[in-house]
Amino acid sequence: MTVPFRRHVLYLPGFDPIPPRRYRELYRREAADQARISGHKLRMKKAQPDGGGFAWRVGAHVEGRDVETRFEVALWSDIVQASMSTGIVGTYRQLFRTMWIYIASGTITRLMRLRRGPVIAAFYPIAVLLAQLALAIGMAALVTWGISAAGGGLWGLPLGLAAGWGVLVLGRRLDHRLFAYYLMHDYAFTGAHHGAYPPALEDRITQFRDRLKAILAQDLDEVLVIGHSSGAYLAVSVLADLLREGPRHGPALSLLTLGHVVPMAGFLPRAHRLRDDLAFLSQADGIFWTDVTAPGDACCFALCDPVAVCGMAGPDQRWPLVISAAYTQTLSPERQKAIRNRWFRLHFQYLCAFDRPGDYDYFAITAGPQTLAQRFGARNHSPGRITRPVGKRR
């Protein structure tokens, strides 16, 4: 009887305040679609507690072999929630401060020289919030003038201010559709310490490193760390901290970064820790690192080598292997049409089913019988890979 391939996935989400069960349900739904398309046999199971975070198990028969995967979400949504509790006035304060940090440091100019898509996405919440502010000021002025002209006397100003504030409150309540406040909090969190990790996040990175050490002590074939969006650079720091402790033995250690936004943090003036981690991990032994992005995802720095563009590539750089999810080839025209202009959906496509999967199949990677090195070891970088060192600090 063949022994099943055993894997533990440690997934680091991006800046997301939503509880981790969202990722379990996303995996359940999309795995069923991919199984139907690719012929995988996948069955999700309840995970027994083992001292880790929110988790589930996947029993699979993929590519001719049985596989057992434990999928665990590394939680930092509480930190995200705390950073988003600033209210309307606090958010506008963050807006102007974040704009100043990115403009005065020259970071925004360098980002535009790299990829304009994510920079335009970064300007979206600024434009929406400033438009709401302008509308609020206009409404306040109009109501104040109207009441005064009608003989309302001193009532004009307070009622005008109330009307203006009402516009801002309405804009905040509509953010489940506009996402302007959410995105503004995301960029403000990244820029608040000029690229350095805030103390609470440093503590959480240490906890993730310790959890990863405990996982690596188990009898497994592969430990796969996945970082999505801003979780990609957190994963880099977690693994760099771990590997700096010296040589290790045990299961294969793999890193998969998806839809990364590394330059948004790495180009900032105080991102010394992140840049050092990128430089160290790019030359590290005992790991296989693959980075997957797609030009169709406007919220990421598609095909940008996160080490090289931050100016940290040395002559001995080995990682990451940079490949494209190639949405125009791996998604059917019908699905491309259905999700066109849906920025968040496109940014999460890496975690979803593909109609025409190429060598990137999220469910084969997480529930299949090959390590990341076995699956991609013979793969070359995608031809469009960008290595130009745009980051000021090299």
Side-chain angles (χ1 to χ4, degrees):
M1 181 176 178
T2 305
V3 176
F5 184 95
R6 290 160 299 182
R7 172 187 293 107
H8 193 121
V9 174
L10 184 64
Y11 175 79
L12 279 71
F15 187 87
D16 191 349
I18 298 176
R21 64 177 60 91
R22 165 194 182 179
Y23 292 98
R24 179 189 63 192
E25 297 312 311
L26 177 66
Y27 194 98
R28 185 195 306 277
R29 182 180 69 247
E30 296 297 329
D33 280 353
Q34 196 67 67
R36 177 180 51 79
I37 293 166
S38 302
H40 305 329
K41 295 180 180 179
L42 304 169
R43 183 165 60 94
M44 291 181 62
K45 311 173 186 178
K46 185 178 180 180
Q48 298 300 318
D50 72 344
F54 184 88
W56 63 90
R57 291 166 55 221
V58 181
H61 187 81
V62 176
E63 298 167 348
R65 187 174 175 186
D66 291 334
V67 181
E68 290 288 337
T69 297
R70 182 182 179 90
F71 207 108
E72 178 180 334
V73 180
L75 299 176
W76 64 291
S77 56
D78 57 320
I79 297 175
V80 174
Q81 291 168 5
S83 74
M84 295 178 66
S85 60
T86 56
I88 294 174
V89 175
T91 299
Y92 277 95
R93 189 182 301 116
Q94 287 181 338
L95 185 156
F96 293 111
R97 184 173 186 272
T98 303
M99 284 179 59
W100 172 252
I101 289 171
Y102 274 92
I103 293 172
S105 66
T107 299
I108 199 69
T109 304
R110 292 191 293 276
L111 290 172
M112 291 197 69
R113 289 171 52 199
L114 193 59
R115 281 284 190 188
R116 294 189 177 182
V119 177
I120 292 173
F123 276 118
Y124 165 78
I126 296 173
V128 171
L129 291 173
L130 290 180
Q132 291 179 7
L133 181 61
L135 184 59
I137 293 171
M139 179 63 72
L142 181 63
V143 171
T144 299
W145 174 82
I147 292 175
S148 298
L154 297 177
W155 285 102
L157 181 58
L159 290 177
L161 292 175
W165 182 254
V167 171
L168 295 178
V169 170
L170 178 61
R172 181 69 183 88
R173 290 182 177 176
L174 290 175
D175 206 58
H176 65 286
R177 296 184 178 182
L178 299 175
F179 300 106
Y181 277 79
Y182 165 73
L183 287 169
M184 192 65 252
H185 290 308
D186 186 354
Y187 300 132
F189 183 82
T190 302
H193 294 262
H194 300 261
Y197 293 140
L201 193 54
E202 276 285 8
D203 291 343
R204 196 59 54 89
I205 289 172
T206 299
Q207 293 176 27
F208 294 161
R209 181 205 62 195
D210 292 343
R211 176 58 185 157
L212 184 56
K213 287 170 66 175
I215 295 169
L216 286 164
Q218 300 174 16
D219 185 15
L220 298 164
D221 295 295
E222 181 184 39
V223 174
L224 173 61
V225 179
I226 300 176
H228 175 239
S229 193
S230 51
Y233 60 76
L234 298 184
V236 166
S237 292
V238 170
L239 267 71
D241 283 356
L242 175 77
L243 294 177
R244 283 191 182 101
E245 295 182 355
R248 50 165 295 275
H249 305 282
L253 178 58
S254 307
L255 173 61
L256 177 65
T257 48
L258 304 172
H260 82 80
V261 291
V262 170
M264 289 297 296
F267 283 13
L268 287 166
R270 298 180 191 168
H272 310 296
R273 144 83 134 133
L274 174 57
R275 289 192 290 269
D276 288 346
D277 292 344
L278 287 165
F280 173 82
L281 202 63
S282 71
Q283 303 177 35
D285 294 321
I287 188 176
F288 191 93
W289 176 10
T290 302
D291 180 74
V292 181
T293 52
D297 173 16
C299 294
C300 80
F301 286 85
L303 296 181
C304 294
D305 182 319
V307 176
V309 298
C310 288
M312 304 311 293
D316 298 322
Q317 181 185 359
R318 302 171 62 190
W319 316 116
L321 169 67
V322 176
I323 65 174
S324 174
Y327 290 173
T328 56
Q329 301 172 33
T330 55
L331 297 177
S332 65
E334 294 77 18
R335 191 174 299 237
Q336 290 182 55
K337 183 178 180 180
I339 63 177
R340 183 178 297 139
N341 299 324
R342 293 172 59 189
W343 288 2
F344 282 104
R345 178 60 180 78
L346 288 164
H347 194 46
F348 275 83
Q349 177 58 44
Y350 311 99
L351 313 180
C352 299
F354 286 81
D355 307 288
R356 304 167 179 174
D359 52 4
Y360 178 74
D361 178 335
Y362 183 66
F363 302 96
I365 290 170
T366 57
Q370 298 184 68
T371 65
L372 208 62
Q374 291 168 342
R375 190 171 296 278
F376 292 111
R379 178 74 150 80
N380 294 321
H381 295 290
S382 288
R385 173 187 177 221
I386 297 172
T387 60
R388 186 171 68 257
V390 178
K392 180 180 178 181
R393 296 150 188 88
R394 305 179 184 178

